[in-house]
PDB file of all heavy atoms in Angstrom:
ATOM      1  N   LEU A 727     -38.106  -3.788 -25.011  1.00  0.00           N
ATOM      2  CA  LEU A 727     -38.852  -3.878 -26.252  1.00  0.00           C
ATOM      3  C   LEU A 727     -37.860  -3.668 -27.425  1.00  0.00           C
ATOM      4  O   LEU A 727     -37.881  -4.411 -28.455  1.00  0.00           O
ATOM      5  CB  LEU A 727     -39.948  -2.857 -26.178  1.00  0.00           C
ATOM      6  CG  LEU A 727     -41.176  -3.174 -25.311  1.00  0.00           C
ATOM      7  CD1 LEU A 727     -41.978  -1.917 -25.412  1.00  0.00           C
ATOM      8  CD2 LEU A 727     -41.801  -4.416 -25.709  1.00  0.00           C
ATOM      9  N   PHE A 728     -36.839  -2.889 -27.294  1.00  0.00           N
ATOM     10  CA  PHE A 728     -35.919  -2.606 -28.288  1.00  0.00           C
ATOM     11  C   PHE A 728     -35.025  -3.837 -28.469  1.00  0.00           C
ATOM     12  O   PHE A 728     -34.761  -4.273 -29.744  1.00  0.00           O
ATOM     13  CB  PHE A 728     -35.055  -1.442 -27.998  1.00  0.00           C
ATOM     14  CG  PHE A 728     -33.823  -1.212 -28.960  1.00  0.00           C
ATOM     15  CD1 PHE A 728     -33.838  -0.729 -30.134  1.00  0.00           C
ATOM     16  CD2 PHE A 728     -32.574  -1.776 -28.444  1.00  0.00           C
ATOM     17  CE1 PHE A 728     -32.805  -0.632 -31.048  1.00  0.00           C
ATOM     18  CE2 PHE A 728     -31.462  -1.717 -29.233  1.00  0.00           C
ATOM     19  CZ  PHE A 728     -31.551  -1.076 -30.529  1.00  0.00           C
ATOM     20  N   PHE A 729     -34.634  -4.525 -27.519  1.00  0.00           N
ATOM     21  CA  PHE A 729     -33.822  -5.722 -27.651  1.00  0.00           C
ATOM     22  C   PHE A 729     -34.675  -6.832 -28.222  1.00  0.00           C
ATOM     23  O   PHE A 729     -34.083  -7.767 -28.911  1.00  0.00           O
ATOM     24  CB  PHE A 729     -33.184  -6.023 -26.326  1.00  0.00           C
ATOM     25  CG  PHE A 729     -31.918  -5.362 -26.140  1.00  0.00           C
ATOM     26  CD1 PHE A 729     -31.798  -4.081 -25.526  1.00  0.00           C
ATOM     27  CD2 PHE A 729     -30.651  -5.947 -26.537  1.00  0.00           C
ATOM     28  CE1 PHE A 729     -30.658  -3.411 -25.401  1.00  0.00           C
ATOM     29  CE2 PHE A 729     -29.450  -5.266 -26.296  1.00  0.00           C
ATOM     30  CZ  PHE A 729     -29.438  -3.978 -25.712  1.00  0.00           C
ATOM     31  N   VAL A 730     -35.829  -6.928 -27.799  1.00  0.00           N
ATOM     32  CA  VAL A 730     -36.731  -7.991 -28.416  1.00  0.00           C
ATOM     33  C   VAL A 730     -36.887  -7.843 -29.866  1.00  0.00           C
ATOM     34  O   VAL A 730     -36.827  -8.712 -30.618  1.00  0.00           O
ATOM     35  CB  VAL A 730     -38.141  -7.893 -27.717  1.00  0.00           C
ATOM     36  CG1 VAL A 730     -39.141  -8.859 -28.536  1.00  0.00           C
ATOM     37  CG2 VAL A 730     -38.182  -8.422 -26.293  1.00  0.00           C
ATOM     38  N   LEU A 731     -37.015  -6.593 -30.295  1.00  0.00           N
ATOM     39  CA  LEU A 731     -37.102  -6.294 -31.794  1.00  0.00           C
ATOM     40  C   LEU A 731     -35.755  -6.635 -32.412  1.00  0.00           C
ATOM     41  O   LEU A 731     -35.811  -7.272 -33.504  1.00  0.00           O
ATOM     42  CB  LEU A 731     -37.525  -4.808 -31.902  1.00  0.00           C
ATOM     43  CG  LEU A 731     -37.633  -4.353 -33.424  1.00  0.00           C
ATOM     44  CD1 LEU A 731     -38.617  -5.082 -34.134  1.00  0.00           C
ATOM     45  CD2 LEU A 731     -37.951  -2.906 -33.539  1.00  0.00           C
ATOM     46  N   LEU A 732     -34.684  -6.216 -31.794  1.00  0.00           N
ATOM     47  CA  LEU A 732     -33.429  -6.496 -32.412  1.00  0.00           C
ATOM     48  C   LEU A 732     -33.194  -7.914 -32.491  1.00  0.00           C
ATOM     49  O   LEU A 732     -32.639  -8.444 -33.528  1.00  0.00           O
ATOM     50  CB  LEU A 732     -32.350  -5.804 -31.484  1.00  0.00           C
ATOM     51  CG  LEU A 732     -30.800  -6.197 -31.916  1.00  0.00           C
ATOM     52  CD1 LEU A 732     -30.662  -5.508 -33.198  1.00  0.00           C
ATOM     53  CD2 LEU A 732     -29.885  -5.525 -30.849  1.00  0.00           C
ATOM     54  N   CYS A 733     -33.496  -8.849 -31.419  1.00  0.00           N
ATOM     55  CA  CYS A 733     -33.310 -10.180 -31.521  1.00  0.00           C
ATOM     56  C   CYS A 733     -34.253 -10.936 -32.509  1.00  0.00           C
ATOM     57  O   CYS A 733     -33.796 -11.870 -33.100  1.00  0.00           O
ATOM     58  CB  CYS A 733     -33.500 -10.835 -30.134  1.00  0.00           C
ATOM     59  SG  CYS A 733     -32.255 -10.376 -28.893  1.00  0.00           S
ATOM     60  N   SER A 734     -35.383 -10.281 -32.696  1.00  0.00           N
ATOM     61  CA  SER A 734     -36.297 -10.904 -33.679  1.00  0.00           C
ATOM     62  C   SER A 734     -35.792 -10.716 -35.073  1.00  0.00           C
ATOM     63  O   SER A 734     -35.860 -11.634 -35.900  1.00  0.00           O
ATOM     64  CB  SER A 734     -37.677 -10.282 -33.538  1.00  0.00           C
ATOM     65  OG  SER A 734     -38.329 -10.473 -32.403  1.00  0.00           O
ATOM     66  N   VAL A 735     -35.237  -9.469 -35.371  1.00  0.00           N
ATOM     67  CA  VAL A 735     -34.585  -9.266 -36.660  1.00  0.00           C
ATOM     68  C   VAL A 735     -33.468 -10.123 -36.953  1.00  0.00           C
ATOM     69  O   VAL A 735     -33.262 -10.683 -38.032  1.00  0.00           O
ATOM     70  CB  VAL A 735     -34.267  -7.707 -36.735  1.00  0.00           C
ATOM     71  CG1 VAL A 735     -33.477  -7.492 -38.063  1.00  0.00           C
ATOM     72  CG2 VAL A 735     -35.490  -6.870 -36.711  1.00  0.00           C
ATOM     73  N   LEU A 736     -32.554 -10.174 -35.965  1.00  0.00           N
ATOM     74  CA  LEU A 736     -31.344 -11.028 -36.011  1.00  0.00           C
ATOM     75  C   LEU A 736     -31.733 -12.535 -36.202  1.00  0.00           C
ATOM     76  O   LEU A 736     -31.121 -13.285 -37.013  1.00  0.00           O
ATOM     77  CB  LEU A 736     -30.523 -10.928 -34.874  1.00  0.00           C
ATOM     78  CG  LEU A 736     -29.806  -9.536 -34.632  1.00  0.00           C
ATOM     79  CD1 LEU A 736     -29.077  -9.510 -33.249  1.00  0.00           C
ATOM     80  CD2 LEU A 736     -28.896  -9.215 -35.869  1.00  0.00           C
ATOM     81  N   ALA A 737     -32.793 -12.942 -35.573  1.00  0.00           N
ATOM     82  CA  ALA A 737     -33.110 -14.454 -35.746  1.00  0.00           C
ATOM     83  C   ALA A 737     -33.665 -14.669 -37.121  1.00  0.00           C
ATOM     84  O   ALA A 737     -33.353 -15.722 -37.765  1.00  0.00           O
ATOM     85  CB  ALA A 737     -34.224 -14.691 -34.664  1.00  0.00           C
ATOM     86  N   LEU A 738     -34.538 -13.702 -37.571  1.00  0.00           N
ATOM     87  CA  LEU A 738     -35.039 -13.915 -38.964  1.00  0.00           C
ATOM     88  C   LEU A 738     -33.935 -13.927 -39.979  1.00  0.00           C
ATOM     89  O   LEU A 738     -33.909 -14.675 -40.994  1.00  0.00           O
ATOM     90  CB  LEU A 738     -36.100 -12.827 -39.257  1.00  0.00           C
ATOM     91  CG  LEU A 738     -37.392 -12.945 -38.507  1.00  0.00           C
ATOM     92  CD1 LEU A 738     -38.251 -11.741 -38.814  1.00  0.00           C
ATOM     93  CD2 LEU A 738     -38.086 -14.114 -38.957  1.00  0.00           C
ATOM     94  N   ALA A 739     -32.986 -12.988 -39.853  1.00  0.00           N
ATOM     95  CA  ALA A 739     -31.846 -12.868 -40.665  1.00  0.00           C
ATOM     96  C   ALA A 739     -31.092 -14.105 -40.648  1.00  0.00           C
ATOM     97  O   ALA A 739     -30.600 -14.664 -41.799  1.00  0.00           O
ATOM     98  CB  ALA A 739     -30.934 -11.723 -40.325  1.00  0.00           C
ATOM     99  N   ALA A 740     -30.700 -14.783 -39.482  1.00  0.00           N
ATOM    100  CA  ALA A 740     -29.953 -15.899 -39.355  1.00  0.00           C
ATOM    101  C   ALA A 740     -30.641 -17.107 -39.998  1.00  0.00           C
ATOM    102  O   ALA A 740     -30.045 -17.971 -40.625  1.00  0.00           O
ATOM    103  CB  ALA A 740     -29.703 -16.239 -37.834  1.00  0.00           C
ATOM    104  N   ALA A 741     -31.937 -17.189 -39.855  1.00  0.00           N
ATOM    105  CA  ALA A 741     -32.737 -18.340 -40.391  1.00  0.00           C
ATOM    106  C   ALA A 741     -32.830 -18.362 -41.987  1.00  0.00           C
ATOM    107  O   ALA A 741     -32.804 -19.348 -42.562  1.00  0.00           O
ATOM    108  CB  ALA A 741     -34.011 -18.593 -39.702  1.00  0.00           C
ATOM    109  N   SER A 742     -33.112 -17.206 -42.419  1.00  0.00           N
ATOM    110  CA  SER A 742     -33.549 -17.048 -43.900  1.00  0.00           C
ATOM    111  C   SER A 742     -32.418 -16.788 -44.819  1.00  0.00           C
ATOM    112  O   SER A 742     -32.415 -17.069 -45.911  1.00  0.00           O
ATOM    113  CB  SER A 742     -34.499 -15.935 -44.071  1.00  0.00           C
ATOM    114  OG  SER A 742     -34.005 -14.730 -43.615  1.00  0.00           O
TER     115      SER A 742
END
Side-chain angles (χ1 to χ4, degrees):
L727 291 175
F728 170 78
F729 273 87
V730 167
L731 178 60
L732 176 63
C733 289
S734 299
V735 171
L736 292 176
L738 289 174
S742 62

